[in-house]
Amino acid sequence: MIGKVLIANRGEIAVRVLRALRDLGIASVAVYSEADRAARHVRLADEAYCIGPAPSAQSYLNADAILDVARRSGSQAIHPGYGFMSENAAFAERCEAEGIIFIGPPAGAIRSMGEKTRARQLMAAAGVPVVPGTLEPLGTPEEAALAAESTGYPVMLKAAAGGGGKGMRLVSDPSQIAAAFRDASSEAVKAFGDGSIYLERAVVRPRHIEVQVLADTQGNCIYLGERECSIQRRHQKVVEEAPSPFVSPEMRAGMGEVAVKAAKAVGYVSAGTIEFLVDQNGEFFFMEMNTRLQVEHAVTEMVTGVDLVREQIRIADGYAMSLGQNDIRIKGWAMECRIYAEDPLNNFLPCPGTIHAVRLPEGPNVRVDSAAFTRGEISMYYDPMVAKVITWGSDRGACAATMNRALMEFQIVGVHTNRDFLLAIVNHAEFRAGNLDTGFIGRNFRGASLPAGTPVPAADIAAAIYAFESSRKGACLPSAGTTPSPWRRGLDGR
Amino acid sequence: MIGKVLIANRGEIAVRVLRALRDLGIASVAVYSEADRAARHVRLADEAYCIGPAPSAQSYLNADAILDVARRSGSQAIHPGYGFMSENAAFAERCEAEGIIFIGPPAGAIRSMGEKTRARQLMAAAGVPVVPGTLEPLGTPEEAALAAESTGYPVMLKAAAGGGGKGMRLVSDPSQIAAAFRDASSEAVKAFGDGSIYLERAVVRPRHIEVQVLADTQGNCIYLGERECSIQRRHQKVVEEAPSPFVSPEMRAGMGEVAVKAAKAVGYVSAGTIEFLVDQNGEFFFMEMNTRLQVEHAVTEMVTGVDLVREQIRIADGYAMSLGQNDIRIKGWAMECRIYAEDPLNNFLPCPGTIHAVRLPEGPNVRVDSAAFTRGEISMYYDPMVAKVITWGSDRGACAATMNRALMEFQIVGVHTNRDFLLAIVNHAEFRAGNLDTGFIGRNFRGASLPAGTPVPAADIAAAIYAFESSRKGACLPSAGTTPSPWRRGLDGR
Amino acid sequence: MRYWIIRDERQIPVEVEEVPGGYTVTMDGKPYQVESSRILEGLYSLIIGGESFEVTVHSHEPGRYDVHMYDGMRPVEILSPLELVLKSQEGARAGHGASIRAPMPGKVVKVLAVEGQAVVKGQGLVVVEAMKMQNELQALSDGVVTQVRVKEGDSVESGAELVTIGEAAEAP
Amino acid sequence: MRYWIIRDERQIPVEVEEVPGGYTVTMDGKPYQVESSRILEGLYSLIIGGESFEVTVHSHEPGRYDVHMYDGMRPVEILSPLELVLKSQEGARAGHGASIRAPMPGKVVKVLAVEGQAVVKGQGLVVVEAMKMQNELQALSDGVVTQVRVKEGDSVESGAELVTIGEAAEAP
């Protein structure tokens, strides 16, 4: 039986896993980089060990250091969270070789799903619908042009090793395909060390809908409904919800059965997610499988009452799932907003810094998963996600109203966050109507920036009082003059 | 339609009601005493008005001031929360007379249930089981002795106007009844201005189990399952849960139907609670009805998914309930721990003061309702309740484990709280086994105080480092000498 | 720096020495390597031999610390050399009069003590109300009330001196 | 004390006067009675004519304040008399060289600017990486690079001067 688990991660997900371990009475071992000495996951864990300097490559991606701590601490298992080592098949294999349980799928399943063109082939062979396109990486711009002719424009070029929107290009016109191919390939080389590109028919105004699956080592595999993840900025999810306002019970069963088929085709074990692209007619196509816990897993937990991390741990410990497909009922509605330390008024530039004070929302139907704390550092070395705010309601309208309330209560002093942007999304008429597709943000927030609120006397008064009290405290004179910001735009944000 | 609501309360319940109003898109008006200028409910409300000095009698109990604010602000309704004006029939009548909706039951229902002996008579007449005893107040110690003979010892003497354990005496022996009667009566005069005392058979090792009801103005009345509230200290609830580990589905239905009968007998409208005393055989007796929202309403919300405050507001607005009895399903388990600013190592003396920093628990299956904040004052003028920590689990064991986790994460720097005492209760073998009765705390925590934890090196080390760093900061020399505390015990805690 | 933990009538020597990233704390001759990180005033993260502790430390009186850990609170009495000296002097003076102080802020609802009155240990002197509860402050030893510093209706701060009790011989 | 709000090319006079429990703030001749309670540094509760506002105020640059309210953020530029004078002098000097500063902490991954080089407005000068994202700092106007203060691999703090651009005439 698993009695001690090492968490090979940081931030809110490390804390999330820690909480599941506490709930199960299992001892927890945190690892941390030198920049994270004071982090929440370090302080909440039973044991904590430093694994290297701040840069991830020297700490959270340092397999040797992580495994060394696992051995020293007597951990029987490692939970990788998301990101970092979570989809690293070689690491999963090393764990197995050293007799340490990797809380996740078998290395073979990670590998099968990790290489995107191979995954598409596998899925097509298993009878899972895939977007029409190439099943092999394209060699040259000319090959890409030929393939696009047969699929029909618009097409999407995608990095085979990719993820997170890197190495992707939408091409609507044959004249652009060669340049786009070269751009995508060189970006993929830079990002993943692999320039392989494949091509798919582009789905117009697609929704991004994904299905949560759970499989145990005894051959049981179930689906836990879908998540609507169409609200994305630069291919990064911002707001997610469960269920999807677009999915009927019949469609849910259909997608769920296909998702289970996909998972079984790669011998999947643990929690996993099948991402689908869904067109305006409800036709859905396999995009990829995330062979790990997702950031947005909490919305599924809120509507099903199932603790996915607890199930992962029990499954890794060899137990058969306590849940059958018939135990899964979707009750009410859940939404998640990801709070990032970034400046929505200034092209979403990330804002590292020190949190002077934080107040997280609370009260009925609100869940917060975060690692933020008063005097905590938002480090420039890691993801700028500060917290996840999750709300539940008896229906979609109630859930959105509670999200509005929770975001209003959310308060961080010291760093910029995207809270106002999230508020603008959640209160947008199109969002409330459930008219979601992946173009939502681009269409409704021009330049992907949030306009500043219109002036109100209370804001002017607050600034005046703050200025008055600051000067009275004998603050130094301001340095002369201010210059316009030279900070233009993210280089990866074309 | 109700568009603006005044909240005639403070603390966590004012914030709770505010959140329901936000969720419903209704404007909120806070009232506050001079001591509460910086309180959470003032800051979260849309409008806020001062209604007087710190003592409750001059502010939160000042009907004139509250109604004046209601008129000035254009509030159509008043939510009284619990305590203060919530069970004040005269206030409910004044609201009605001024055309302001009182969000609660009709004045008549408050009155019928407020006078305890009259309520017992009414309930007995309506076929609701009551504990054998007197239906009229007792005039003299001799009358009390006679009544006790016919009921059989042990008996409980109770103040007719009472509540909160004041004016109550357990008498096991005929020789003590006269003295106990005089004590209880004089205590009742002091506490309630009314020395009337009645008598009931004392139930041995009773459980305190209560049923939540909800009734609308259209004649619909339903029950939402029970709450187990046996864990009490000095007749004050400390830990509550829903459902009760003692209640079978048949017993639930039986108690629920009786509760609905009781509510209908007084023409009840809004959310209300029927408190039952339950003996070891499962026989249950009506104790009293709380004609308001309860502190512990949240555990019912967690297992039913129903927002009771939202329902109260909709009912007050004249809507028929959206829920029928068949819509109520109990899912999983919920517990609530009340965090008080008091010192469990020193006989639970209340500890007013300033919160230097607060960290509330979060994560999956945790709800916190609080009004605590960093630099917030725990005022000596009001209840010392700082926060309610509520957890949910798929079963009782999971729920208790999550409560343990949540309490571990709970952190307040600056004032003592009963957190450690709550932890000791939640992790007590008898509690985990579900062996609950109202004697639990007295039996398991002798002297009703918590023993200090055994020394561990980490604690000594922490103290040494703190002392070292404090002296290095150039803190003043300690004042010479320390004296043992003369603070003996609460006078009302015999 | 040297401290003493006072526990069960024993004085346990404790040596605190700064090292990079924390302290070496030697208790009763046994050294502990402590990685220490001060998060806020009174809130520490300690890692001792891989074990992680998050503790809050609170001091109500000089030398006495409440150390709150995840699984409960531990009171620790730890004294600097100077505090140790002061404490032993105080011990020698014991019984030579005592101040009854308010251990919490509140409102004086009743003054039972009268100046010049002889009182016995445990006798009620002042009743203070805080948070709806009345609490009685009692004499710590037999003696005579030498001074009453409050009257009914006064609001008092934590630590405020309410009544002074002297030995019978000191009485007028 | 007198301030000016700068908005849409206008200078709006604002007078802040302390009164018990808060301030009288007169904007553009209109007085507001403001009950003000400072909860923490930068966190205020304001009650204005019964309306309750909880706001956080944040200042990144002198005179510029981000006021966060429940329904969103409002940037406010408000200057003291001295700041107003300094600003107008600065306006007169505009174009006479500019410092390119790091608006956030990060790591310099590429230095594109060379001392003495002529640059045009919008030309990339330095690439700074923060939080996994590379961002290019560009010239604010045409000019000549007079000084480069960082090299690749440097960690820079927010506000650190990276490159100075002078007018062409100032070039060596």
Side-chain angles (χ1 to χ4, degrees):
Chain A
M1 244 200 48
I2 295 176
K4 193 186 273 191
V5 172
L6 184 152
I7 301 149
N9 216 305
R10 65 179 301 282
E12 70 86 17
I13 194 61
V15 173
R16 168 69 188 92
V17 174
L18 257 159
R19 288 180 172 135
L21 294 171
R22 277 265 148 79
D23 287 350
L24 288 165
I26 296 173
S28 52
V29 178
V31 293
Y32 61 96
S33 75
E34 286 163 12
D36 276 341
R37 170 61 187 87
R40 289 274 308 262
H41 74 287
V42 174
R43 289 147 58 195
L44 285 173
D46 293 313
E47 299 178 35
Y49 300 89
C50 185
I51 49 166
S56 304
Q58 296 170 60
S59 50
Y60 297 107
L61 292 170
N62 182 346
D64 290 336
I66 293 166
L67 287 165
D68 181 52
V69 169
R71 278 187 299 266
R72 276 160 61 202
S73 62
S75 301
Q76 289 104 9
I78 293 179
H79 196 300
Y82 52 69
F84 295 136
M85 310 304 271
S86 63
E87 294 181 287
N88 184 326
F91 181 73
E93 270 161 359
R94 274 193 68 181
C95 288
E96 202 188 347
E98 306 214 15
I100 294 166
I101 298 167
F102 178 82
I103 301 178
I110 299 176
R111 215 161 250 141
S112 300
M113 287 300 191
E115 212 268 276
K116 302 303 169 195
T117 48
R118 187 159 146 230
R120 274 165 53 83
Q121 289 165 16
L122 263 168
M123 291 300 105
V128 173
V130 298
V131 179
T134 59
L135 295 176
E136 296 286 344
L138 299 161
T140 61
E142 292 71 32
E143 262 180 63
L146 269 174
E149 287 305 324
S150 78
T151 316
Y153 283 91
V155 297
M156 187 67 86
L157 297 173
K158 289 186 175 180
K166 296 235 169 76
M168 280 177 77
R169 288 293 182 286
L170 175 68
V171 186
S172 311
D173 191 292
S175 69
Q176 300 162 346
I177 190 133
F181 179 87
R182 278 186 291 264
D183 277 9
S185 186
S186 77
E187 193 169 302
V189 169
K190 243 173 60 187
F192 315 113
D194 175 359
S196 304
I197 296 291
Y198 67 102
L199 172 152
E200 287 175 357
R201 188 172 78 201
V203 178
V204 178
R205 293 192 72 157
R207 287 174 178 258
H208 174 130
I209 300 177
E210 59 188 32
V211 175
Q212 177 70 52
V213 297
L214 210 46
D216 66 22
T217 54
Q218 329 279 304
N220 303 305
C221 183
I222 62 172
Y223 60 90
L224 292 96
E226 80 284 358
R227 292 185 288 260
E228 167 73 63
C229 306
S230 298
I231 307 295
Q232 305 185 351
R233 198 180 61 77
R234 296 184 186 171
H235 301 282
Q236 282 284 359
K237 296 165 191 166
V238 177
V239 180
E240 301 102 337
E241 62 187 278
S244 163
F246 190 64
V247 173
S248 65
E250 297 69 39
M251 189 173 165
R252 178 167 305 125
M255 293 180 83
E257 281 154 23
V258 165
V260 166
K261 196 191 286 183
K264 285 188 166 168
V266 295
Y268 201 80
V269 170
S270 193
T273 298
I274 318 288
E275 295 191 331
F276 292 105
L277 214 57
V278 182
D279 73 15
Q280 296 294 313
N281 304 316
E283 209 184 340
F284 56 90
F285 307 101
F286 172 86
M287 262 196 300
E288 62 180 41
M289 179 168 192
N290 291 309
T291 56
R292 52 165 166 83
L293 195 68
Q294 300 270 81
V295 175
E296 61 270 25
H297 73 278
V299 291
T300 299
E301 295 184 325
M302 295 287 270
V303 293
T304 61
V306 175
D307 183 328
L308 289 168
V309 180
R310 173 194 290 244
E311 293 299 324
Q312 281 191 306
I313 295 165
R314 288 179 45 86
I315 288 169
D317 212 358
Y319 290 99
M321 266 190 284
S322 52
L323 299 153
Q325 189 62 57
N326 288 333
D327 298 318
I328 305 304
R329 297 256 176 287
I330 309 298
K331 183 176 177 182
W333 217 277
M335 290 180 182
E336 171 180 284
C337 282
R338 301 187 186 188
I339 309 265
Y340 288 103
E342 60 186 18
D343 186 354
L345 292 177
N346 191 8
N347 215 11
F348 295 94
L349 284 167
C351 295
T354 301
I355 295 175
H356 296 320
V358 60
R359 182 181 72 199
L360 300 172
E362 33 166 300
N365 302 323
V366 173
R367 165 176 168 185
V368 179
D369 280 21
S370 95
F373 59 96
T374 294
R375 307 235 59 80
E377 284 288 328
I378 310 290
S379 167
M380 56 172 273
Y381 289 102
Y382 313 111
D383 245 25
M385 196 170 73
V386 177
K388 300 184 325 198
V389 175
I390 305 125
T391 61
W392 183 88
S394 51
D395 56 42
R396 190 168 187 270
C399 180
T402 300
M403 180 58 82
N404 173 59
R405 179 247 292 174
L407 291 174
M408 282 167 83
E409 287 186 30
F410 187 95
Q411 203 175 65
I412 280 194
V413 184
V415 295
H416 280 293
T417 73
N418 64 337
R419 188 204 71 140
D420 295 347
F421 181 58
L422 294 167
L423 264 177
I425 292 171
V426 167
N427 291 318
H428 196 285
E430 226 181 276
F431 179 85
R432 287 295 178 109
N435 292 333
L436 314 177
D437 63 74
T438 56
F440 177 89
I441 288 178
R443 191 164 57 245
N444 293 300
F445 297 91
R446 267 152 225 283
S449 256
L450 185 69
T454 48
V456 291
D460 294 342
I461 289 167
I465 290 173
Y466 183 79
F468 179 81
E469 295 192 0
S470 301
S471 70
R472 204 177 38 179
K473 280 190 309 190
C476 332
L477 280 180
S479 62
T482 57
T483 50
S485 170
W487 203 241
R488 290 297 172 180
R489 59 173 170 74
L491 290 186
D492 56 352
R494 275 163 281 249
Chain B
M1 245 200 45
I2 295 177
K4 192 185 276 191
V5 172
L6 184 152
I7 301 150
N9 217 305
R10 65 178 300 283
E12 70 86 18
I13 194 60
V15 173
R16 168 69 187 92
V17 175
L18 257 161
R19 287 181 172 133
L21 294 172
R22 276 265 147 79
D23 287 351
L24 288 165
I26 296 173
S28 52
V29 177
V31 293
Y32 62 96
S33 77
E34 285 163 12
D36 276 341
R37 170 62 186 86
R40 289 272 312 260
H41 74 286
V42 174
R43 288 146 59 196
L44 285 173
D46 293 314
E47 299 178 34
Y49 300 88
C50 185
I51 49 166
S56 304
Q58 296 170 59
S59 49
Y60 297 107
L61 291 170
N62 183 344
D64 291 335
I66 292 167
L67 286 166
D68 181 52
V69 169
R71 278 187 298 267
R72 273 161 61 202
S73 62
S75 301
Q76 289 102 11
I78 293 180
H79 195 301
Y82 52 69
F84 295 133
M85 309 304 273
S86 63
E87 294 182 285
N88 184 325
F91 182 73
E93 271 161 359
R94 273 194 68 182
C95 288
E96 202 188 347
E98 306 215 14
I100 293 166
I101 298 166
F102 179 80
I103 301 178
I110 300 176
R111 216 161 249 139
S112 301
M113 288 298 191
E115 212 268 274
K116 301 304 168 195
T117 47
R118 185 158 148 233
R120 274 165 54 80
Q121 290 167 14
L122 262 169
M123 290 300 107
V128 173
V130 298
V131 179
T134 58
L135 294 177
E136 296 287 342
L138 299 160
T140 61
E142 293 69 32
E143 259 181 64
L146 269 174
E149 285 306 324
S150 78
T151 316
Y153 283 91
V155 297
M156 187 66 85
L157 297 173
K158 289 186 173 179
K166 296 234 170 75
M168 279 176 78
R169 289 293 183 285
L170 176 68
V171 185
S172 311
D173 191 290
S175 69
Q176 299 163 347
I177 190 131
F181 179 87
R182 278 186 290 266
D183 278 9
S185 186
S186 77
E187 193 169 303
V189 167
K190 243 175 58 187
F192 316 112
D194 175 1
S196 307
I197 297 291
Y198 67 102
L199 173 152
E200 286 176 355
R201 188 172 78 199
V203 179
V204 179
R205 292 194 72 158
R207 287 174 178 257
H208 174 129
I209 300 177
E210 59 188 31
V211 175
Q212 177 71 50
V213 296
L214 210 46
D216 65 23
T217 53
Q218 329 279 304
N220 303 303
C221 183
I222 62 173
Y223 61 91
L224 293 94
E226 80 285 359
R227 292 185 289 260
E228 167 74 62
C229 305
S230 298
I231 306 296
Q232 305 185 352
R233 196 180 63 76
R234 295 182 186 171
H235 301 283
Q236 281 284 359
K237 296 166 192 166
V238 177
V239 181
E240 301 103 336
E241 61 187 278
S244 163
F246 190 64
V247 174
S248 64
E250 296 70 38
M251 189 173 164
R252 179 166 305 126
M255 294 179 82
E257 281 155 23
V258 166
V260 166
K261 197 191 285 182
K264 285 188 167 168
V266 295
Y268 201 79
V269 171
S270 192
T273 298
I274 320 287
E275 295 190 333
F276 292 106
L277 214 57
V278 183
D279 74 15
Q280 296 295 312
N281 304 317
E283 210 185 338
F284 56 90
F285 306 101
F286 173 86
M287 263 196 299
E288 63 179 42
M289 180 169 191
N290 290 308
T291 54
R292 54 166 165 83
L293 195 67
Q294 299 271 81
V295 175
E296 60 271 24
H297 73 279
V299 291
T300 299
E301 294 184 327
M302 294 289 269
V303 293
T304 60
V306 175
D307 183 328
L308 289 168
V309 180
R310 175 194 288 244
E311 293 299 323
Q312 280 191 306
I313 295 165
R314 287 179 47 85
I315 288 168
D317 211 358
Y319 289 99
M321 267 191 282
S322 53
L323 299 153
Q325 190 63 57
N326 288 332
D327 298 318
I328 306 303
R329 297 256 175 286
I330 308 298
K331 183 175 178 183
W333 216 279
M335 291 180 182
E336 171 180 283
C337 281
R338 300 187 187 188
I339 309 265
Y340 289 104
E342 61 187 17
D343 186 354
L345 292 177
N346 191 8
N347 215 10
F348 295 93
L349 285 166
C351 295
T354 302
I355 296 175
H356 296 319
V358 60
R359 183 181 70 200
L360 301 172
E362 34 166 301
N365 302 324
V366 174
R367 165 176 167 182
V368 179
D369 279 21
S370 97
F373 59 96
T374 294
R375 308 235 60 78
E377 285 287 328
I378 310 291
S379 166
M380 55 171 274
Y381 290 101
Y382 313 112
D383 246 24
M385 197 171 73
V386 176
K388 302 184 325 201
V389 176
I390 305 124
T391 61
W392 183 89
S394 51
D395 56 42
R396 189 167 187 273
C399 180
T402 300
M403 181 57 82
N404 174 59
R405 180 247 291 173
L407 291 174
M408 282 166 84
E409 288 185 28
F410 186 95
Q411 204 175 63
I412 280 194
V413 184
V415 295
H416 281 294
T417 73
N418 65 336
R419 188 205 70 140
D420 295 349
F421 181 58
L422 294 167
L423 265 176
I425 292 171
V426 168
N427 292 317
H428 197 286
E430 226 181 278
F431 179 84
R432 287 295 178 109
N435 292 334
L436 314 178
D437 63 72
T438 57
F440 177 89
I441 288 178
R443 192 163 61 244
N444 293 301
F445 298 90
R446 269 153 223 283
S449 256
L450 185 68
T454 49
V456 292
D460 295 343
I461 289 167
I465 290 173
Y466 183 79
F468 179 82
E469 295 192 359
S470 301
S471 70
R472 205 176 38 180
K473 279 190 310 190
C476 333
L477 280 180
S479 61
T482 58
T483 49
S485 170
W487 203 242
R488 291 297 173 182
R489 58 171 171 73
L491 289 185
D492 55 354
R494 276 163 279 249
Chain C
M1 183 165 164
R2 170 61 59 104
Y3 291 87
W4 283 271
I5 287 176
I6 311 296
R7 177 170 297 144
D8 305 334
E9 314 283 305
R10 275 193 67 206
Q11 294 181 3
I12 304 165
V14 179
E15 188 71 37
V16 179
E17 190 196 345
E18 271 191 279
V19 296
Y23 298 92
T24 300
V25 177
T26 307
M27 292 200 300
D28 224 357
K30 185 172 176 200
Y32 295 86
Q33 298 306 325
V34 184
E35 296 170 53
S36 172
S37 176
R38 186 177 163 284
I39 312 294
L40 299 169
E41 166 72 24
L43 171 58
Y44 288 86
S45 167
L46 304 179
I47 302 177
I48 308 169
E51 267 193 284
S52 177
F53 299 93
E54 189 176 39
V55 297
T56 62
V57 187
H58 202 117
S59 179
H60 289 284
E61 301 172 23
R64 287 174 192 273
Y65 301 88
D66 291 348
V67 181
H68 292 269
M69 308 180 71
Y70 282 167
D71 62 346
M73 193 276 271
R74 272 84 180 178
V76 179
E77 184 174 7
I78 184 165
L79 302 175
S80 67
L82 177 60
E83 287 167 331
L84 194 69
V85 169
L86 290 168
K87 187 186 163 80
S88 59
Q89 290 175 348
E90 179 66 17
R93 271 208 319 274
H96 285 262
S99 294
I100 303 301
R101 292 172 186 276
M104 54 191 301
K107 191 176 159 185
V108 175
V109 294
K110 187 161 279 182
V111 177
L112 305 162
V114 179
E115 286 185 17
Q117 174 191 17
V119 293
V120 295
K121 185 176 167 181
Q123 186 172 337
L125 303 173
V126 179
V127 180
V128 177
E129 181 176 289
M131 292 167 140
K132 320 257 116 200
M133 222 167 102
Q134 298 193 358
N135 296 282
E136 189 181 74
L137 297 171
Q138 303 171 335
L140 298 170
S141 57
D142 298 354
V144 166
V145 177
T146 52
Q147 196 167 13
V148 176
R149 294 166 183 265
V150 288
K151 60 180 191 306
E152 284 180 25
D154 283 2
S155 286
V156 292
E157 287 306 305
S158 181
E161 206 168 337
L162 308 178
V163 173
T164 314
I165 307 289
E167 281 190 283
E170 294 174 21
Chain D
M1 185 166 163
R2 169 61 60 105
Y3 291 87
W4 282 270
I5 287 176
I6 310 297
R7 177 170 297 143
D8 305 334
E9 313 283 305
R10 276 193 66 205
Q11 294 182 3
I12 304 165
V14 179
E15 189 71 37
V16 179
E17 190 195 344
E18 272 191 280
V19 296
Y23 298 92
T24 300
V25 178
T26 307
M27 293 200 298
D28 224 357
K30 185 172 176 200
Y32 294 87
Q33 297 307 324
V34 184
E35 295 171 54
S36 172
S37 176
R38 186 176 163 284
I39 312 295
L40 298 169
E41 166 72 25
L43 171 58
Y44 288 87
S45 167
L46 304 180
I47 302 177
I48 308 170
E51 267 193 284
S52 177
F53 300 92
E54 189 176 40
V55 297
T56 61
V57 187
H58 202 116
S59 179
H60 289 282
E61 301 172 24
R64 287 175 191 272
Y65 301 88
D66 291 348
V67 181
H68 293 269
M69 309 180 71
Y70 282 166
D71 62 346
M73 193 275 272
R74 270 85 179 178
V76 178
E77 185 173 7
I78 183 165
L79 302 175
S80 67
L82 177 61
E83 287 167 331
L84 194 69
V85 169
L86 290 168
K87 186 187 163 78
S88 60
Q89 290 174 350
E90 178 66 16
R93 272 210 317 276
H96 286 262
S99 295
I100 303 300
R101 293 172 186 276
M104 53 191 299
K107 192 177 158 184
V108 175
V109 293
K110 187 162 279 181
V111 177
L112 304 162
V114 179
E115 287 186 13
Q117 176 192 14
V119 292
V120 295
K121 184 176 170 182
Q123 186 172 338
L125 303 173
V126 179
V127 180
V128 177
E129 182 176 288
M131 293 168 139
K132 320 258 117 196
M133 221 167 102
Q134 298 193 357
N135 295 281
E136 190 180 74
L137 297 171
Q138 303 171 336
L140 298 170
S141 57
D142 297 354
V144 167
V145 176
T146 51
Q147 195 168 14
V148 176
R149 293 164 184 267
V150 289
K151 60 179 190 307
E152 283 178 27
D154 283 1
S155 286
V156 291
E157 288 305 306
S158 180
E161 205 168 337
L162 309 177
V163 173
T164 314
I165 305 290
E167 279 191 284
E170 295 173 20

